[in-house]
Amino acid sequence: MYRIAAFFAACFATAALAQPYPHRPITLTVPFAAGGPTDTIARVLAERMSRSLGQTVVVENTAGAGGSIAVTKIMRAAPDGYSIGIGHLGTHVIAPAVQSITIDYLTELTPLGMVASNPQVIVSRTSVPGKDLKDLIAWVKANPNEASSGTGGPGTPSHISAVYFGNTVGTPLNIIHYKGSAPALQDVIAGHVAMTFDQAATALAQIKAGRVKAYAVTQKTRMPSAPDIPTTDEAGLPGFYMTIWHAFWGPKGMPRDVVVKLNASLKDALADPAVRKKLDDLGQEIPALEQQTPEALHAFHKSETEKWFPLIKTAGIKAQ
């Protein structure tokens, strides 16, 4: 009897293993609460990927600890392709640095593909004198006590950018932390803070309304949605780049054929005009096709880690 039961159990296990991937729903873990930009991006892609994969991609929100709870959950999941996660610069580079996490995200995750990116815009209150970035830098150097920068909180991208800017121009900014980037930008508009580094997706409306002055986008190319704003290279601060990029990862050790299938589904979604329109409406820029591969994501993730970890550690930036 036991031999017969064992035989059937083995048959069922073999049959399950033999089923083509995916044969059941896939969980996409989002490291933030529902309704935010990362969650919105995840849901747009999940819906489209469900069609090409033939299985539902279920979005699950696991917020907390700057994204490290969600990342740990993915690391501990079975590497079978049914548990994947979305993250960005903050969750996969800044968070482990400011939290002094000893786990190496580069080796303990399987990269699946880059999703989209959104640069920051250097903005100031309208009363700051000068018309361009060179004028702003000159003003910061001449007025170090008045040169304040609002951030979304300790260890956020806007905080890292403010430190990076001060290091680059040779004059530290006076950092003022807020509980989110929105109140920081509002205090710039109100004139209480001199400047901030805000995501283009949220800053552009205020720039177009004339409530803040825009100096440059922190990437190599101008934004199609704001072609009049120069890049930092063009504006006089070459090489000053900071983009809030999103990507997909899975647990370490995923089979190559599963990685290829998930990446193909992601590329298919990013090529869909309807998806591209939705992401464009969110201020997101879709990477070139050659930058959508797992290998390209790994290389980029590594370069971002090597760029930001030393700056964060040298500045003594810690999560609070």
Side-chain angles (χ1 to χ4, degrees):
M1 178 68 70
Y2 289 112
R3 289 182 180 178
I4 294 173
F7 171 77
F8 280 111
C11 288
F12 285 127
T14 302
L17 290 172
Q19 293 183 70
Y21 173 85
H23 58 268
R24 56 186 172 88
I26 298 164
T27 298
L28 172 59
T29 299
V30 176
F32 302 106
T38 302
D39 176 72
T40 303
I41 292 169
R43 291 178 188 278
V44 168
L45 293 170
E47 190 278 329
R48 183 61 180 78
M49 290 174 69
S50 296
R51 283 188 269 159
S52 60
L53 290 168
Q55 289 289 341
T56 302
V57 179
V58 181
V59 173
E60 184 175 277
N61 300 91
T62 305
S68 60
I69 294 175
V71 176
T72 300
K73 180 180 179 180
I74 294 300
M75 287 180 177
R76 292 176 178 172
D80 54 11
Y82 291 99
S83 294
I84 61 176
I86 186 173
H88 58 40
L89 170 68
T91 60
H92 283 67
V93 176
I94 294 176
V98 301
Q99 295 178 30
S100 298
I101 294 172
T102 57
I103 299 171
D104 187 352
Y105 283 28
L106 289 167
T107 60
E108 297 305 311
L109 292 166
T110 296
L112 299 175
M114 186 74 79
V115 172
S117 65
N118 184 233
Q120 290 184 318
V121 183
I122 304 172
V123 300
S124 80
R125 64 190 180 211
T126 56
S127 62
V128 171
K131 64 182 186 303
D132 57 26
L133 186 58
K134 291 181 179 179
D135 289 340
L136 175 66
I137 294 170
W139 179 82
V140 167
K141 291 182 175 182
N143 301 273
N145 294 329
E146 194 179 346
S148 56
S149 184
T151 84
T156 57
S158 55
H159 180 197
I160 307 303
S161 291
V163 174
Y164 182 32
F165 183 87
N167 290 351
T168 304
V169 304
T171 302
L173 297 173
N174 297 308
I175 307 296
I176 301 176
H177 294 306
Y178 291 82
K179 293 182 178 180
S181 58
L185 184 60
Q186 284 303 315
D187 258 14
V188 173
I189 294 169
H192 303 313
V193 180
M195 59 187 290
T196 191
F197 301 80
D198 197 27
Q199 289 191 55
T202 52
L204 288 182
Q206 305 301 333
I207 293 167
K208 292 176 180 177
R211 298 188 181 98
V212 293
K213 293 170 69 173
Y215 297 92
V217 291
T218 57
Q219 64 178 13
K220 296 179 180 180
T221 57
R222 294 196 182 201
M223 295 184 63
S225 55
D228 294 336
I229 304 176
T231 67
T232 44
D233 290 340
E234 296 169 329
L237 202 61
F240 187 90
Y241 308 136
M242 162 70 90
T243 59
I244 314 302
W245 47 268
H246 282 84
F248 279 8
W249 287 267
K252 177 182 178 180
M254 289 176 63
R256 180 62 185 172
D257 61 322
V258 172
V259 172
V260 169
K261 192 155 191 177
L262 284 168
N263 179 256
S265 177
L266 177 59
K267 286 180 177 177
D268 186 50
L270 293 174
D272 187 317
V275 170
R276 297 179 75 91
K277 175 65 167 59
K278 289 177 181 178
L279 293 179
D280 183 64
D281 289 344
L282 293 170
Q284 301 296 317
E285 297 186 11
I286 297 172
L289 191 61
E290 64 271 16
Q291 293 300 313
Q292 296 175 19
T293 67
E295 295 76 19
L297 171 56
H298 178 75
F300 183 69
H301 188 189
K302 183 173 184 292
S303 69
E304 289 284 88
T305 300
E306 292 172 347
K307 175 179 180 177
W308 298 115
F309 259 61
L311 183 147
I312 290 167
K313 295 301 182 183
T314 300
I317 299 171
K318 297 183 181 298
Q320 294 181 8

